[in-house]
Amino acid sequence: MKAVTWQGKRDVRVETVPDPTIQEPTDAVIRITSTGLCGSDLHLYEVLTPFMTPGDILGHEPMGIVEEVGAGVPDLKAGDRVVVPFQIACGDCWMCLNSLPTQCETTQVTGEGMGAALFGYTRLYGAVPGGQAEYLRVPQAQYGPIKVPEGPPDDRFVYLSDVLPTAWQAVAYADIPEGGSVAVLGLGPIGDMACRVAQVRGAGRVFGVDLVGDRLRRARARGVETYDLRSFDSEKELVAAIRDRTDGRGPDAVIDAVGTEAHGSAAARLIQNASALLPRKLSGPLAERFSVDRLAALHTAIELVRRGGTLSLIGVYGGMADPLPMLTMFDKQIQIRMGQANVRRWSDEIIPYLRDEDPLGVDDFATHRVPLAEAPDAYEMFQQKRDGAVKILMTP
């Protein structure tokens, strides 16, 4: 089959690899019909290269048709249309039964000290072949895949794999009071969808912050009060502008949908780039023990949120030696929630929004649809934020 493989920093290629097969009774094999390019894939493209191996198959946002199931998968059959969550979880362990499938005790990558295995996402998360391919082996298929109806196009459901539950959890963790206010930092796919989810869940005011014109216009068209970072000389000016719209206090909640690739901290970027250039035997341990993030977005979130408010961190961070302003965080009595989205925890709540009407705008959420063969160009376009690229779907 054809699959998108990682070969090095900013080097992905579509190659021929062996077709997946059933290996365990709880496996299924899916023929992919649509697969997304995620912002966190860009971390593998550039920042998290020390944890990658040439030939790794990328991607964690797939949906498709079941081709084959193992004997331990009673609720799926060949021909079923399914969306595959990005994490791999059993559904039966203590963590899964307590709505934390990203911490699944059956699939935890204990050798790396990490949570549940993820599709297409570094050796830290199990080095499981991903879904930017023609076919996908799905472990723990007795729990993970979400059956969806025939009829509507893939765009209606594909975002259940990651974008929708990630944005949904970001808003749920933000704990926005009914009619309250939230600022979303970063208007890429997750930030954009988080704004939409906040609106349908009853937020009174939604502020969106970014520095890419296309993304700001897209959010503004859906009623978000947008702020262009390029219009401010400093973080303090931005914070003051939004505080002026919230009775001088700041928003009730701030969602950081940027993560480690925020603008700022040239020193942190230098360390990230240096570790990526080292031999693999050195770069991995260095990154694990001494990695730092570019924390511009997180520092802005801490400054912006009102006292007693909530920070919801959904952008990916990977640093182990990050300096944080603990005095400010403690003094402001900030509550913080974060983590990978627990897809199956939220999917049943989301599906009613995908049936008839389209309040979240999923039908036209994708800005680009390309063949799998054009994946290298799609990665480059998305990384450089060219041509209005916000969300890219690929079809094998």
Side-chain angles (χ1 to χ4, degrees), residues 41-356:
D41 289 327
L42 297 184
H43 293 99
L44 313 183
Y45 194 63
E46 183 168 16
V47 178
L48 296 180
T49 56
F51 305 110
M52 299 295 290
T53 301
D56 283 349
I57 299 175
L58 301 172
H60 58 270
E61 297 186 349
M63 71 173 290
I65 307 299
V66 175
E67 292 280 303
E68 185 180 2
V69 297
V73 185
D75 296 327
L76 288 183
K77 65 182 185 304
D80 284 344
R81 188 186 193 197
V82 297
V83 178
V84 181
F86 69 89
Q87 75 251 178
I88 302 167
C90 72
D92 289 325
C93 69
W94 189 94
M95 290 290 180
C96 287
L97 293 174
N98 283 274
S99 301
L100 290 167
T102 54
Q103 311 303 326
C104 175
E105 293 170 319
T106 300
T107 72
Q108 277 179 16
V109 187
T110 54
E112 301 287 350
M114 306 299 279
L118 309 179
F119 287 104
Y121 216 78
T122 82
R123 65 171 173 80
L124 295 178
Y125 289 101
V128 181
Q132 290 172 4
E134 293 181 307
Y135 294 91
L136 176 69
R137 171 181 167 254
V138 182
Q140 304 297 329
Q142 80 288 350
Y143 173 70
I146 303 165
K147 287 197 282 189
V148 297
E150 296 293 335
D154 282 6
D155 290 47
R156 179 59 64 103
F157 301 113
V158 66
Y159 305 115
L160 282 169
S161 59
D162 183 350
V163 173
L164 278 169
T166 298
W168 200 271
Q169 178 170 297
V171 173
Y173 279 10
D175 196 25
I176 308 159
E178 182 69 25
S181 58
V182 59
V184 179
L185 306 184
L187 296 174
I190 302 303
D192 185 340
M193 186 58 73
C195 290
R196 303 178 188 204
V197 171
Q199 289 170 326
V200 302
R201 286 175 60 104
R205 306 190 75 170
V206 179
F207 307 100
V209 180
D210 207 296
L211 45 66
V212 180
D214 291 327
R215 299 182 176 191
L216 290 160
R217 285 188 289 273
R218 180 175 157 108
R220 192 180 308 122
R222 295 189 66 91
V224 176
E225 299 180 45
T226 58
Y227 292 80
D228 187 338
L229 276 174
R230 297 168 300 181
S231 300
F232 299 92
D233 292 331
S234 67
E235 171 202 89
K236 290 188 180 298
E237 287 188 9
L238 169 68
V239 169
I242 298 178
R243 280 182 178 165
D244 283 346
R245 305 287 288 168
T246 54
D247 298 323
R249 286 188 295 270
D252 298 305
V254 176
I255 295 172
D256 174 0
V258 177
T260 188
E261 293 206 88
H263 288 255
S265 186
R269 181 171 180 81
L270 178 63
I271 293 171
Q272 290 173 349
N273 289 339
S275 66
L277 295 174
L278 290 171
R280 289 178 52 77
K281 288 185 179 180
L282 298 177
S283 64
L286 175 67
E288 286 181 52
R289 295 187 60 189
F290 302 112
S291 58
V292 294
D293 291 298
R294 301 169 72 192
L295 297 174
L298 179 54
H299 283 281
T300 298
I302 291 167
E303 182 68 20
L304 178 59
V305 70
R306 69 161 169 82
R307 291 178 178 271
T310 302
L311 297 185
S312 176
L313 310 185
I314 205 66
V316 174
Y317 284 98
M320 293 292 284
D322 289 330
L324 292 173
M326 294 304 297
L327 173 61
T328 300
M329 294 161 68
F330 182 84
D331 180 66
K332 291 186 72 172
Q333 202 169 338
I334 294 170
Q335 302 174 73
I336 302 178
R337 295 196 72 182
M338 67 186 83
Q340 303 277 10
N342 297 288
V343 175
R344 293 305 302 267
R345 163 65 180 85
W346 309 109
S347 56
D348 288 346
E349 292 184 22
I350 298 169
I351 286 174
Y353 291 87
L354 306 178
R355 286 191 175 134
D356 297 315

